[in-house]
Amino acid sequence: MGVKAKAAAAILVFIVAASLLAPLFYRYNPHRIDLDHIKTRPGFSHLFGTDQEGRDVLARVLEGAKISIWVSLLAAVSAMVIGLAVGVISGYAGGKVDTALMAFVDLILAFPSLLLAIGISVVLPPGMFTVMIAIAAVGWASFARLTRGYVLGIRDAQYVEAARAIGCGRSRILFAHILPQCMPLALTMLTLKIGGFIITEASLSFLGLGAQPPVATWGGMISSGRAYLETAPWISVFPGIAIALTTFCFNALGDALAKN
Amino acid sequence: MDFVLYLGKKFLLTVILLLGIALITFSLTKALPGDPALALVGQRASPATIAAIRKQIGADKPFLVQYVDYVKMISRGELGRSYFTRREVLDELKQKFPNTMRLALLAMALALPAGLALGFWAAMERGRPLGEALNSISIVGISVPVFFSGLLIMLFASLELKLFPPAGTGGAEFLILPAITLSLPSIATLSKVSRTSALEVMGLPFIKTARAKGISEFRVIAVHIFRNAIIPIVTVAGLDFGSYLNGAVLTETIFGWDGIGRYSVEGVMRRDYPVVLGTVLAGTVTFIVINMLVDIAYHVLDPRVRVYGR
């Protein structure tokens, strides 16, 4: 792993640790309204300033980190599991099954993905879980496509043939021999995808479709700070930087993994 | 002849794809909580009025019948009326689509030269610190969500420097900021692909030959490398252009630009089903048409690729 990838991983560990430990050590509560100190400039008492209701922006950014990273991570893992299953079955089965499954995958890929996610988020009751489902429901298709292509390449490899020759059942071949081979590829894809998923989560929260107030989300904070862009830009700018930094680290990490 | 066959096959696939997209969207809109009839007349309307409205918009029929009715209507070339404005969705799309196109075209006109220049520059500087830095810029570009970069651009260019109006629809002065916003992620992906593609071509023997013949370095880059590296870039540019509908959803919402991206979000938020269906279908058709144009461009740029032969 190169220096850049290590730095990216270290920053991510720091962000996750800070978001988890904040409730224990940080003196401000992300939900405490303090109308005597609204729109305080960033300074020693409030490192990132306070918002229009006097809530500490740093505390809210840290709570947003927890939500954003968990939602995106869980969505990515769900998308990977679904995509792996569909991809492995499609690639190994071939024929009509393959054609039908891939037609469905192409259908999902042809759909404007953000609109689909917005549509799903509107259908289900708003909240973190809904966002997760919406992202996973849109994101699994590219995992399936990639896995299927890889399985096509290895399904006639010698070790698969050998497994077949010693009498392994189909499910044993799929899950014990083919699936593990797909894992490095799928995990690299996972790292590359999380960045995009964080942006999708933020976009949905920005539109008011994510985790609901009083819970702080990065997208929601940017959206509520829009009205104060001229007088208190820090309300929107810090969560924006948080999104960009986290996404950048995941993308840089994924890039480094993809090169290996 | 082959080409006609290829186009015919593509067209057939497109129709099937659209039926599928219509079915998914249609199922989603039916699953949406909240009754459009209620939303139209308000909570205090009498049950009789609500029933009448439901009948008028066809919400009382079984699901499959509604779907078939909808497909029939589309095949007549109609998209229905908005529940709220009572205007034909097709007319609205005709009015808003050119706005989104203007935005997308300007964004691409900014993204292509910028992305190519950054990518080729990064390729030439490979292994040196400057090249690494240029390469990182491309990752920054895809890491910043458009609704944040858009706000920053609005904050500086419009609220601080007062160069352009912050939001609205109209002439070029309204178009510049959203177009820059929309082009940023595109510049990132294009520069990444250009770099990879240029590096690949630079390692090929004919480039060495060209240099050995004594051709000027500028000519080697501009003619020999560029012509051969451009092919994958065209594909990505096409795909990116198609994805502008996605980006436009947020960009148009922030900048109050009257295009189909904002129209679709409004449709979803107000449960205005005909609008949702219409915008999604229009977006998908655009995406597919652009993909076909990319296939054709491929054929023109690279005689080795015979897409329709397969």
Side-chain angles (χ1 to χ4, degrees), chain A:
Chain A
M1 221 197 273
V3 183
K4 260 199 293 185
K6 275 183 194 155
I11 295 174
L12 286 175
V13 170
F14 176 75
I15 294 174
V16 171
S19 71
L20 291 176
L21 296 176
L24 298 176
F25 295 107
Y26 193 53
R27 61 192 155 132
Y28 292 109
N29 175 313
H31 306 297
R32 220 192 111 231
I33 293 171
D34 179 1
L35 293 178
D36 291 334
H37 297 97
I38 59 165
K39 298 197 262 177
T40 313
R41 286 184 167 282
F44 285 115
S45 58
H46 296 276
L47 217 49
F48 286 5
T50 62
D51 69 3
Q52 69 280 7
E53 290 175 16
R55 293 171 298 191
D56 184 74
V57 173
L58 176 57
R60 294 179 66 72
V61 165
L62 289 172
E63 187 179 62
K66 207 160 48 185
I67 287 171
S68 200
I69 292 173
W70 278 118
V71 167
S72 312
L73 206 63
L74 286 176
V77 171
S78 324
M80 184 181 80
V81 171
I82 302 169
L84 270 175
V86 173
V88 167
I89 291 170
S90 187
Y92 192 72
K96 278 188 189 128
V97 178
D98 184 37
T99 313
L101 284 175
M102 282 307 117
F104 187 58
V105 165
D106 284 343
L107 188 65
I108 300 285
L109 289 177
F111 217 93
S113 60
L114 186 61
L115 267 189
L116 185 55
I118 291 175
I120 295 172
S121 313
V122 172
V123 173
L124 302 172
M128 273 162 58
F129 193 62
T130 297
V131 175
M132 218 189 75
I133 292 176
I135 297 175
V138 176
W140 66 273
S142 47
F143 281 96
R145 255 237 165 275
L146 193 77
T147 313
R148 180 252 185 190
Y150 188 68
V151 172
L152 278 185
I154 62 167
R155 73 168 172 188
D156 295 322
Q158 268 184 334
Y159 65 90
V160 177
E161 216 170 306
R164 227 175 278 142
I166 58 170
C168 291
R170 191 186 292 167
S171 56
R172 190 173 166 82
I173 292 177
L174 278 181
F175 292 107
H177 296 276
I178 289 185
L179 194 62
Q181 294 295 317
C182 301
M183 284 317 282
L185 187 71
L187 286 173
T188 305
M189 180 96 169
L190 181 89
T191 324
L192 276 173
K193 280 271 164 187
I194 289 179
F197 288 176
I198 288 179
I199 290 189
T200 310
E201 188 272 337
S203 306
L204 291 174
S205 317
F206 180 79
L207 292 170
L209 298 168
Q212 295 299 299
V215 176
T217 56
W218 288 342
M221 291 172 74
I222 294 179
S223 170
S224 71
R226 269 171 80 187
Y228 313 99
L229 209 52
E230 268 183 292
T231 50
W234 55 86
I235 301 175
S236 291
V237 168
F238 284 114
I241 293 173
I243 298 173
L245 182 66
T246 313
T247 311
F248 178 82
C249 289
F250 274 115
N251 284 335
L253 199 60
D255 236 33
L257 287 178
K259 273 192 194 123
N260 290 346

Side-chain angles (χ1 to χ4, degrees), chain B:
Chain B
M1 189 55 219
D2 274 353
F3 197 62
V4 175
L5 210 70
Y6 162 74
L7 283 180
K9 219 168 112 185
K10 266 268 162 161
F11 181 74
L12 207 70
L13 278 174
T14 305
V15 172
I16 296 171
L17 187 68
L18 286 179
L19 284 176
I21 296 262
L23 185 60
I24 292 186
T25 320
F26 199 75
S27 319
L28 267 181
T29 55
K30 289 298 145 187
L32 286 177
D35 189 334
L38 263 184
L40 267 176
V41 291
Q43 299 281 349
R44 273 182 288 178
S46 71
T49 325
I50 292 171
I53 297 265
R54 241 187 229 142
K55 195 159 182 169
Q56 191 196 331
I57 60 178
D60 57 336
K61 293 183 203 159
F63 175 78
L64 265 181
V65 177
Q66 288 187 44
Y67 177 64
V68 172
D69 280 353
Y70 187 73
V71 171
K72 272 189 199 153
M73 188 179 71
I74 299 176
S75 56
R76 285 200 306 268
E78 292 168 29
L79 288 169
R81 282 173 187 278
S82 156
Y83 290 161
F84 284 86
T85 58
R86 302 304 303 156
R87 290 193 53 192
E88 289 276 351
V89 174
L90 196 64
D91 290 342
E92 297 263 16
L93 285 180
K94 274 185 200 152
Q95 183 214 326
K96 292 171 201 290
F97 189 74
N99 283 340
T100 299
M101 264 324 210
R102 272 163 71 202
L103 178 60
L105 282 173
L106 182 59
M108 188 44 85
L110 294 170
L112 250 181
L116 279 172
L118 272 176
F120 273 74
W121 193 14
M124 302 302 148
E125 294 287 334
R126 189 169 89 120
R128 274 168 268 179
L130 180 62
E132 289 300 302
L134 287 170
N135 198 26
S136 294
I137 290 181
S138 74
I139 308 183
V140 175
I142 52 168
S143 303
V144 183
V146 286
F147 58 85
F148 182 55
S149 51
L151 281 185
L152 289 184
I153 289 172
M154 192 192 281
L155 181 64
F156 285 112
S158 164
L159 301 178
E160 294 283 333
L161 303 176
K162 313 225 181 286
L163 289 176
F164 300 102
T169 312
E173 73 272 24
F174 289 98
L175 191 57
I176 303 261
L177 297 185
I180 293 176
T181 306
L182 196 54
S183 74
L184 289 178
S186 211
I187 291 176
T189 36
L190 282 174
S191 78
K192 199 170 174 183
V193 178
S194 314
R195 177 177 177 268
T196 316
S197 182
L199 284 177
E200 206 166 288
V201 175
M202 276 160 69
L204 295 177
F206 73 87
I207 298 298
K208 203 174 272 177
T209 311
R211 289 217 173 92
K213 282 197 300 186
I215 293 173
S216 74
E217 187 62 23
F218 176 77
R219 210 179 138 75
V220 170
I221 295 170
V223 178
H224 295 249
I225 298 180
F226 185 77
R227 269 289 321 247
N228 288 285
I230 193 82
I231 295 159
I233 302 172
V234 168
T235 316
V236 174
L239 284 174
D240 249 19
F241 194 80
S243 77
Y244 278 175
L245 182 71
N246 256 337
V249 165
L250 292 165
T251 313
E252 291 181 354
T253 306
I254 295 171
F255 287 98
W257 184 255
D258 191 24
I260 56 173
R262 198 178 72 153
Y263 189 47
S264 63
V265 175
E266 280 172 7
V268 173
M269 298 288 184
R270 293 200 295 206
R271 288 138 183 56
D272 199 343
Y273 304 157
V275 173
V276 178
L277 281 160
T279 46
V280 168
L281 285 180
T284 316
V285 172
T286 317
F287 192 70
I288 293 168
V289 168
I290 290 166
N291 270 320
M292 276 170 84
L293 291 178
V294 169
D295 275 356
I296 295 169
Y298 237 68
H299 172 67
V300 175
L301 286 171
D302 188 354
R304 287 171 307 179
V305 186
R306 303 272 172 209
V307 270
Y308 49 86
R310 270 182 261 142

